[in-house]
Amino acid sequence: MYVTHKQRFSPTQLVTVTVLLTLLLFIPQIWLNWQAYYNFNNLTKNEFRLQKLSDEIIYLDEVLTMSARMNAVTGNIMWEKRYHRFEQKLDTAIQESIKLAPQAYKSEDAQKIDVANQQLVKMEYQSFDLVKENKQQAAQQLLSSREYETQKQIYADGVAKRRLNISLQLQQQVTQYRQKIFWAVLGSIVSLILLIPAWRLVLRLLQEYLKAKKIAQLALEETNLMLETNVAARTETLNQKNIELEQTLQELKNTQLHLIQTEKMSSLGQLVAGVAHEINNPVNFIYGNLKYAREYTQQLMDLINLYQQEYSGNNFQINAAIKEIDIEFILDDLPKILSSMEVGADRICEIVLTLRNFSRLDEADMKPVDIHEGIDSTLLILQHNLKGKTGQQEIKIIKEFCDNLPLVECYAGGLNQVFMNLLSNAIDALREKEVENSKQKIEQQASYIQIQTQVKNEEYIIIHIKDNGFGIPEEVKSKLFDPFFTTKPVGKGTGLGLSISYQIIVDKHKGNIKCISYPGKGTEFVIEIPIKTAERAEEAEEQRRGNYPNII
């Protein structure tokens, strides 16, 4: 702290001396003021109490006199009892007065009052004895005698004089109290006169100290602010870089796993396409030759019938051979076998077509697609899972397809991947339900997957995929579409199926997918996708309104 060289004392010494001087001057003043207040408080309390006791003594004395005279007049012992009861109260009041003003009860006048009081009590007790002896007239004369009145007057004058003496003593004490207050106030004024310059100097030093401290504090705050700004800026930069790195790392992970998943689907598609191609060639060979086999067989059968008509029964060996091979059964069953082979070949051709529809390797761009074909092809791929292993219940597929569902412009392979993920999850949920439920309960409530398609409006279609599994808890449902989130055991799920499905529906097709599920009530996924892309929809709208010029 800055101090001028003219000062003889340092600021610390000056403050110490000022505080000590203040204590030395004010502690005695405080003591005097407190003592004066204490004396005045006692004085006030004693004065009020003495006045009250004096009035009470006068009243009780009159009550005693009246009780004695009424006893003499009526002869009723009740007045004597009343006399003794109030006599005790009078003695108590007199004793308390003696404690509060002992000087007033030690004078000669006080002794005369006591003598008069004793004479009065003696005469009143004599009147009680006379009443008891049925001498009420004598008792009345005693209490109205000149001696009784004289003692009564002496007692009353003495009490009045004693009361006056007590008041004079109180006035004297008040005068002394005022003198003490005067000297206390005078001492306080002198103390203030001595302390004001010292404290003014202290305040001046404090102002200089506070001013210097404020300047230093401002400089420190400015430095701290600059440091905090620099630290905050660097921290923000680091945080931003960390966030960017985390986002980049997360995107790389998502992209890597998405590519892995896509590669799996692509490999599956290639495998399915290859299998379909390899099966398709021999099937076409079989299916193409079945027509000629049927024709040739029919010709041979006609020839055999003709031979039987022309040469029946002429050759024993031929007849034995015909009987051995049961020619009639062969002629009847052979067309059925060829028809069954043709039906099987048709079924294989249908399966091959379905597999090729699922793979969609030649449809990398958007094109109009029949959604029902994609669902059917996915169900065909999952057919072995739906039938289940030994001991597992077959999962029933309930298809409620819309008859007038339009072709949807979409990425067919991506939608098939979504159907594959949702149906696989539904199958897993139903198999898990089978494991936890008893056999009897499974038979009572069969497992099923319900697939429904409908047209929402001119722009959108809706696909519902619902199962009657256990359902999904609320805390799990909020994380379904998060990457890497899965409730399946380790090694059975990557947590990417629903996340990729969400990206395909929402990001690639500009649609919407949501999950409706409650514990114990199954799970339903609702997919909403546009029938046409935004560009095609605008073109169709403009054509509908006739905005394009007519081309001749």
Side-chain angles (χ1 to χ4, degrees):
M1 182 176 64
Y2 175 75
V3 182
T4 59
H5 66 279
K6 294 182 179 180
Q7 294 175 348
R8 298 179 59 185
F9 299 101
S10 65
T12 304
Q13 293 175 343
L14 182 60
V15 171
T16 303
V17 171
T18 305
V19 170
L20 291 176
L21 182 61
T22 303
L23 293 175
L24 290 175
L25 291 175
F26 272 96
I27 287 177
Q29 296 299 323
I30 293 172
W31 169 256
L32 290 175
N33 291 331
W34 179 83
Q35 191 176 19
Y37 169 76
Y38 178 77
N39 292 335
F40 178 75
N41 190 31
N42 290 336
L43 179 66
T44 305
K45 288 170 61 177
N46 292 341
E47 181 181 2
F48 288 150
R49 185 59 183 166
L50 283 171
Q51 290 178 357
K52 185 176 179 181
L53 289 173
S54 179
D55 294 338
E56 186 177 355
I57 289 170
I58 294 173
Y59 166 75
L60 292 174
D61 183 68
E62 294 296 331
V63 169
L64 294 178
T65 301
M66 182 190 69
S67 298
R69 287 179 176 177
M70 289 298 296
N71 181 68
V73 173
T74 62
N76 192 346
I77 195 172
M78 176 191 69
W79 294 104
E80 183 180 356
K81 293 180 180 179
R82 187 170 184 269
Y83 178 92
H84 293 305
R85 185 170 68 252
F86 280 92
E87 185 181 16
Q88 293 178 357
K89 293 183 179 180
L90 178 61
D91 291 339
T92 302
I94 292 173
Q95 294 299 325
E96 187 176 355
S97 297
I98 293 174
K99 291 180 180 180
L100 295 176
Q103 298 297 329
Y105 287 89
K106 293 181 180 180
S107 62
E108 294 180 359
D109 295 332
Q111 294 177 359
K112 292 179 180 180
I113 293 172
D114 290 339
V115 172
N117 184 38
Q118 292 175 3
Q119 291 296 326
L120 290 172
V121 171
K122 181 178 179 181
M123 296 174 70
E124 289 167 354
Y125 270 81
Q126 289 178 359
S127 70
F128 292 147
D129 295 335
L130 292 173
V131 171
K132 291 177 182 178
E133 296 174 0
N134 294 324
K135 299 178 180 180
Q136 296 179 5
Q137 188 70 28
Q140 294 176 11
Q141 291 178 356
L142 177 63
L143 295 178
S144 60
S145 64
R146 184 178 184 83
E147 183 182 0
Y148 184 83
E149 293 294 336
T150 301
Q151 296 298 329
K152 187 74 175 175
Q153 186 65 36
I154 293 172
Y155 180 79
D157 292 342
V159 169
K161 187 175 181 181
R162 185 171 59 192
R163 185 175 184 183
L164 178 61
N165 291 334
I166 292 173
S167 298
L168 291 175
Q169 290 178 4
L170 290 174
Q171 290 179 1
Q172 186 178 4
Q173 291 178 2
V174 169
T175 302
Q176 294 176 357
Y177 169 76
R178 287 177 178 174
Q179 291 177 353
K180 291 181 179 179
I181 290 295
F182 171 77
W183 288 111
V185 171
L186 181 62
S188 299
I189 293 172
V190 172
S191 300
L192 287 174
I193 292 173
L194 294 175
L195 291 174
I196 285 174
W199 279 110
R200 286 184 64 183
L201 182 58
V202 170
L203 290 175
R204 181 181 175 185
L205 292 174
L206 288 175
Q207 287 177 352
E208 292 179 357
Y209 170 75
L210 292 175
K211 184 177 180 181
K213 183 179 179 182
K214 186 176 181 180
I215 293 172
Q217 186 175 2
L218 290 174
L220 182 61
E221 288 178 355
E222 185 177 357
T223 304
N224 289 336
L225 181 60
M226 292 176 61
L227 290 173
E228 289 177 358
T229 303
N230 294 334
V231 171
R234 293 182 180 179
T235 304
E236 181 66 24
T237 302
L238 290 174
N239 289 336
Q240 189 66 29
K241 289 182 178 180
N242 288 334
I243 293 173
E244 291 176 358
L245 288 174
E246 289 178 359
Q247 291 177 350
T248 303
L249 181 59
Q250 188 66 31
E251 290 175 0
L252 287 174
K253 288 182 179 180
N254 293 341
T255 303
Q256 182 182 8
L257 291 171
H258 195 174
L259 287 174
I260 293 172
Q261 190 73 8
T262 304
E263 184 66 23
K264 288 181 180 179
M265 291 302 297
S266 177
S267 299
L268 178 61
Q270 291 176 2
L271 177 63
V272 169
V275 171
H277 178 73
E278 293 298 327
I279 294 175
N280 192 47
N281 289 332
V283 167
N284 286 336
F285 173 76
I286 296 171
Y287 190 77
N289 289 320
L290 277 175
K291 177 181 177 181
Y292 301 105
R294 181 184 291 276
E295 292 178 359
Y296 298 157
T297 302
Q298 187 62 42
Q299 291 175 2
L300 291 174
M301 290 172 63
D302 293 340
L303 179 61
I304 291 173
N305 288 330
L306 181 61
Y307 175 79
Q308 285 180 337
Q309 292 176 4
E310 295 295 333
Y311 299 100
S312 60
N314 294 330
N315 192 310
F316 175 77
Q317 292 182 350
I318 293 175
N319 290 334
I322 290 173
K323 186 177 181 181
E324 183 178 357
I325 65 175
D326 196 357
I327 191 66
E328 293 181 359
F329 175 78
I330 292 175
L331 293 176
D332 182 63
D333 192 51
L334 186 57
K336 295 180 181 179
I337 293 175
L338 292 174
S339 298
S340 177
M341 292 173 64
E342 187 175 3
V343 171
D346 287 336
R347 177 59 179 160
I348 293 174
C349 290
E350 181 183 350
I351 292 173
V352 169
L353 180 60
T354 303
L355 293 176
R356 293 184 63 185
N357 288 335
F358 177 80
S359 62
R360 300 285 186 179
L361 293 178
D362 56 341
E363 298 179 6
D365 297 329
M366 275 194 171
K367 63 180 297 183
V369 173
D370 186 355
I371 296 297
H372 294 162
E373 288 185 0
I375 296 174
D376 288 334
S377 62
T378 306
L379 290 173
L380 179 63
I381 298 297
L382 296 173
Q383 186 65 34
H384 66 288
N385 291 331
L386 294 171
K387 290 183 178 180
K389 301 177 183 178
T390 304
Q392 290 183 337
Q393 183 187 26
E394 182 177 359
I395 298 174
K396 184 179 180 181
I397 299 297
I398 303 174
K399 294 192 288 187
E400 298 178 359
F401 288 169
C402 178
D403 295 334
N404 59 345
L405 191 73
L407 298 179
V408 177
E409 190 171 344
C410 62
Y411 298 100
L415 280 185
N416 289 342
Q417 185 176 355
V418 173
F419 298 149
M420 175 69 75
N421 290 332
L422 297 182
L423 290 171
S424 297
N425 287 343
I427 293 171
D428 292 341
L430 293 173
R431 294 304 180 199
E432 182 180 356
K433 179 181 176 182
E434 289 182 10
V435 173
E436 296 188 12
N437 287 346
S438 63
K439 183 177 180 181
Q440 183 179 2
K441 194 171 183 180
I442 293 173
E443 293 176 354
Q444 293 176 355
Q445 185 180 8
S447 300
Y448 69 85
I449 298 175
Q450 182 180 4
I451 306 173
Q452 181 185 20
T453 60
Q454 65 184 88
V455 179
K456 180 180 181 181
N457 49 38
E458 296 179 355
E459 299 179 356
Y460 289 90
I461 68 165
I462 300 177
I463 305 168
H464 300 265
I465 299 177
K466 181 179 180 181
D467 64 68
N468 64 335
F470 282 134
I472 301 174
E474 190 65 29
E475 62 272 12
V476 174
K477 189 167 63 174
S478 61
K479 303 176 182 178
L480 279 180
F481 300 108
D482 293 347
F484 311 108
F485 177 78
T486 179
T487 57
K488 297 180 181 180
V490 177
K492 291 189 177 182
T494 61
L496 287 173
L498 292 178
S499 176
I500 292 174
S501 299
Y502 183 87
Q503 294 176 6
I504 292 172
I505 297 298
V506 177
D507 297 338
K508 297 184 69 173
H509 290 87
K510 309 303 178 186
N512 186 29
I513 180 172
K514 63 179 179 180
C515 175
I516 303 172
S517 181
Y518 301 98
K521 296 185 178 181
T523 303
E524 179 180 6
F525 283 91
V526 181
I527 302 172
E528 183 177 323
I529 56 175
I531 299 174
K532 296 182 180 180
T533 60
E535 294 80 3
R536 297 289 182 88
E538 291 178 0
E539 292 176 2
E541 182 67 17
E542 290 178 355
Q543 289 179 359
R544 188 180 66 83
R545 294 179 180 178
N547 293 335
Y548 286 128
N550 294 327
I551 301 176
I552 302 175

